Structure formats: structure tokens, C-alpha cells
């Protein structure tokens, strides 16, 4: 009987000064799906540790320098193993019956309505696709929009995806696409996945020049909230980054923890420092700058 499964990705992080680091991280390379899947058993803690530790041992055999079992929800998730806090994940609970009820309780409801109206005044309309495959032209356009953000932020822990990725994702029944169109042309999008009664926001893209005068990310976030409430979903996982903006939406921040093991062991302190300095801090600095830019435009 299968009682548990785990998946990890072996890849290379490119660092400043021409350095690189061979790493294994828990999860898929494109951050979709569940990295750790467990049946409800009496020994669930030992089972989850056994799966993660098996991946760590397999990594060492392949000469990997750093293993990161990540996105654990509590500091004691692997029992007595010491876990590092990596970042916080933003979750929005949805107790409201409709989007208007959500707005009425929001202290910045006037600003939200203004952001949404600004899209309409600029000639934009929202096209929502559920379980409907993209055309080749649409996949090409979405990939081009995603590349604009990829090249803007240069995040060292983000993998390059292709047009085929968007085509394949659109064939999944639980995929939801929010496509912002103007005169038929897509200028922004969000890709989400329905997981039970939760919605997970995963990928996005935007035409930075065409939407430069609009609070596009903020407005698209509220469109996601409107869609999820309309579908009767219980919560939204908005992921990491841009914590201030997501708290303003009403999200709660849940810390995510990681188990890091270096090969050899004495490298652990140095590799932790590199990860926090060049990967995690890099993302936070970029997003803080993006927040300032959005506020200046507003």
C-alpha cells in the first residue's frame, strides 16, 4: 500500500561573481503540485521525515552540495530536526458571500474600486478561462508577458519556462486563467489552480510598457479574489513576496520552514549564508523596489 510520496528537483543556482551552486530542492521545478503527499497514518511525522531524508541521501550520492527540504508549515514539522525560516506565504481566507461584501469591510475599498475602474476606463476587459486549452498564439503571448517579469527581476531561484509549459498547463481541468484584454490583445494574465476548496495563484505576466500607468498587479489580485469568492472557494494562496501589499488585501502570513543539509556537513554555515544573501534577500530587495514604484505611480 502506497502511504506517501515526495518529489524533488536537482538543479543549479547561478550566483554573482561567476559562482554556481548545485542544489536539490523539495518540489517540482515550476512550483506546481504538492512536493510531499502523505496518507493519514499514526506515524505521519516519522513518515514525512523518512521521505525527505531519503531524498537528501539520494542528493548526496549525486554530488549535490546543498539539499533544501522547503515550505514546511511549522518549525517542528520534521520532529527534532532544526528547521530554518525561509519566508512567509500569504493566505487569504474567504468568509464573504460575494465580492461586494469583501469590499465593504475593506478599509481601502475606495482605492480598490478606483484601481478596478481604471482598467475599464483604459479599455480593458477580463477573460476568465477554466479547463480550456490556450491557442498557440495565446501561449506565445503569455510566454512573452511572463518573460518581461522574468527579465526584470532576474531571480536566481526561478527556472525558465517555455511556451509549451503554458500550453500544457492550460490542458489541466483545474487550471484557471485570468486574461486581461484590450481590443483582443492580452496585456496581463494570472495563472491559478483550484486545489479542493482553495485557489493557488502561481504564475503571472504583464506588458510593462502598455500598462505602465495602471496599478496592474494590485488590480489583478483583486480580480483573483472576486473570482474565488464567486466560485465559493474557502481561501487563496497568494504565495511569497510583496508581503505588505498582500497584508493590505487581508492576507495572513504563514511562515515557511526549510531543512538544509550541506555536503560535506562543514559547508552548511557558508551555504546557508549564500542562500539567504543572494537568493532570498535578492528577491525581497527586488520586490521592495517594485512596491515603491507602484506607490509612486499611484
Amino acid at each position: 500500500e502506497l502511504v506517501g510520496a515526495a518529489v524533488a528537483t536537482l538543479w543549479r543556482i547561478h550566483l554573482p561573481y561567476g559562482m554556481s551552486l548545485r542544489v536539490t530542492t523539495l518540489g517540482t521545478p515550476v512550483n506546481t503540485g504538492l512536493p510531499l503527499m502523505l496518507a493519514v497514518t499514526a506515524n505521519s511525522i516519522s513518515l514525512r521525515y523518512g521521505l525527505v531524508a531519503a531524498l537528501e541521501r539520494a542528493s548526496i550520492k549525486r554530488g549535490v552540495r546543498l539539499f533544501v527540504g522547503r515550505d514546511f508549515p511549522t518549525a517542528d514539522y520534521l520532529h527534532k530536526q532544526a528547521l530554518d525560516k525561509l519566508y512567509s506565504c500569504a493566505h487569504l481566507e474567504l468568509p464573504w458571500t460575494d465580492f461586494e461584501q469583501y469590499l465593504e469591510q475593506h478599509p481601502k475599498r475606495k482605492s480598490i474600486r478606483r484601481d478596478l475602474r481604471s482598467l475599464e476606463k483604459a479599455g480593458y476587459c477580463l477573460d476568465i478561462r477554466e479547463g480550456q486549452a490556450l491557442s498557440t498564439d495565446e501561449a506565445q503571448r503569455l510566454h512573452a508577458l511572463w518573460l518581461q517579469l522574468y527579465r526584470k527581476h532576474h531571480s536566481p531561484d526561478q527556472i525558465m519556462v517555455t511556451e509549451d509549459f503554458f500550453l500544457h498547463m492550460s490542458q489541466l481541468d483545474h487550471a484557471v486563467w485570468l486574461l486581461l484584454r484590450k481590443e483582443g490583445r492580452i496585456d496581463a494574465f494570472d495563472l491559478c489552480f483550484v486545489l479542493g476548496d482553495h485557489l493557488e495563484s502561481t504564475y503571472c505576466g504583464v506588458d510593462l510598457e502598455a500598462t505602465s500607468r495602471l496599478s496592474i498587479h494590485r488590480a489583478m489580485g483583486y480580480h483573483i479574489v472576486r473570482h474565488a469568492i464567486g466560485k465559493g472557494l474557502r481561501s487563496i494562496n497568494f504565495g511569497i513576496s510583496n508581503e505588505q501589499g498582500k497584508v493590505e488585501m487581508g492576507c495572513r502570513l504563514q511562515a515557511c520552514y526549510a531543512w538544509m543539509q550541506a555536503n560535506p556537513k562543514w559547508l552548511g554555515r557558508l551555504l546557508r549564508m549564500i542562500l539567504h544573501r543572494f537568493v532570498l534577500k535578492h528577491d525581497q530587495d527586488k520586490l521592495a523596489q517594485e512596491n515603491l514604484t507602484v506607490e509612486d505611480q499611484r
Side-chain angles (χ1 to χ4, degrees), residues 87-108:
Y87 34 62
S88 294
C89 193
H91 298 267
L92 179 65
E93 309 301 329
L94 303 174
W96 308 283
T97 57
D98 55 41
F99 187 64
E100 283 302 315
Q101 191 179 82
Y102 165 76
L103 287 181
E104 285 303 316
Q105 58 80 46
H106 202 290
K108 293 190 175 183

Side-chain angles (χ1 to χ4, degrees), residues 31-254:
N31 289 330
T32 58
L34 298 174
L36 193 60
M37 296 154 279
L38 302 170
V40 179
T41 63
N43 63 337
S44 59
I45 294 179
S46 61
L47 178 60
R48 68 176 71 134
Y49 171 74
L51 287 169
V52 176
L55 289 173
E56 188 263 342
R57 291 192 298 269
S59 299
I60 291 176
K61 291 180 180 178
R62 288 163 173 78
V64 170
R65 290 302 181 189
L66 181 65
F67 174 82
V68 183
R70 62 186 179 91
D71 295 353
F72 300 131
T74 61
D76 60 351
Y77 191 75
L78 296 183
H79 196 39
K80 295 181 180 181
Q81 301 301 318
L83 303 184
D84 293 285
K85 181 181 176 182
L86 285 185
Y87 34 62
S88 294
C89 193
H91 298 267
L92 179 65
E93 309 301 329
L94 303 174
W96 308 283
T97 57
D98 55 41
F99 187 64
E100 283 302 315
Q101 191 179 82
Y102 165 76
L103 287 181
E104 285 303 316
Q105 58 80 46
H106 202 290
K108 293 190 175 183
R109 52 186 172 273
K110 291 183 179 180
S111 175
I112 297 171
R113 294 184 196 276
R114 185 167 59 247
D115 287 340
L116 295 176
R117 283 198 304 268
S118 69
L119 297 185
E120 297 177 4
K121 291 179 179 179
Y124 284 101
C125 62
L126 190 68
D127 175 18
I128 299 180
R129 303 273 193 90
E130 298 177 86
Q132 181 180 349
L134 298 169
S135 69
T136 301
D137 289 343
E138 288 172 333
Q140 290 175 347
R141 176 61 175 167
L142 298 191
H143 184 248
L145 297 179
W146 176 83
L147 276 177
Q148 291 196 37
L149 295 182
Y150 178 85
R151 290 167 178 160
K152 177 183 178 181
H153 297 299
H154 298 288
S155 178
D157 65 337
Q158 188 171 31
I159 194 171
M160 171 69 76
V161 298
T162 65
E163 295 173 12
D164 282 344
F165 169 78
F166 292 105
L167 279 174
H168 289 324
M169 291 298 102
S170 72
Q171 296 170 14
L172 299 175
D173 291 338
H174 64 296
V176 179
W177 300 86
L178 289 86
L179 310 175
L180 193 66
R181 295 180 181 270
K182 182 175 183 178
E183 299 176 353
R185 183 189 69 243
I186 303 172
D187 280 349
F189 79 91
D190 274 279
L191 168 59
C192 305
F193 295 97
V194 178
L195 303 174
D197 54 2
H198 303 273
L199 188 68
E200 184 172 290
S201 178
T202 307
Y203 276 80
C204 66
V206 64
D207 188 318
L208 296 172
E209 182 177 355
T211 64
S212 61
R213 297 182 178 276
L214 300 169
S215 300
I216 198 73
H217 290 294
R218 190 159 55 239
M220 289 296 285
Y222 287 112
H223 275 306
I224 292 173
V225 174
R226 187 203 298 270
H227 175 76
I229 293 176
K231 289 294 182 178
L233 299 177
R234 190 162 61 89
S235 68
I236 304 172
N237 180 355
F238 276 109
I240 64 174
S241 76
N242 191 14
E243 293 181 1
Q244 179 182 347
K246 292 172 182 177
V247 168
E248 288 180 357
M249 295 179 72
C251 295
R252 61 175 174 83
L253 299 179
Q254 178 178 317

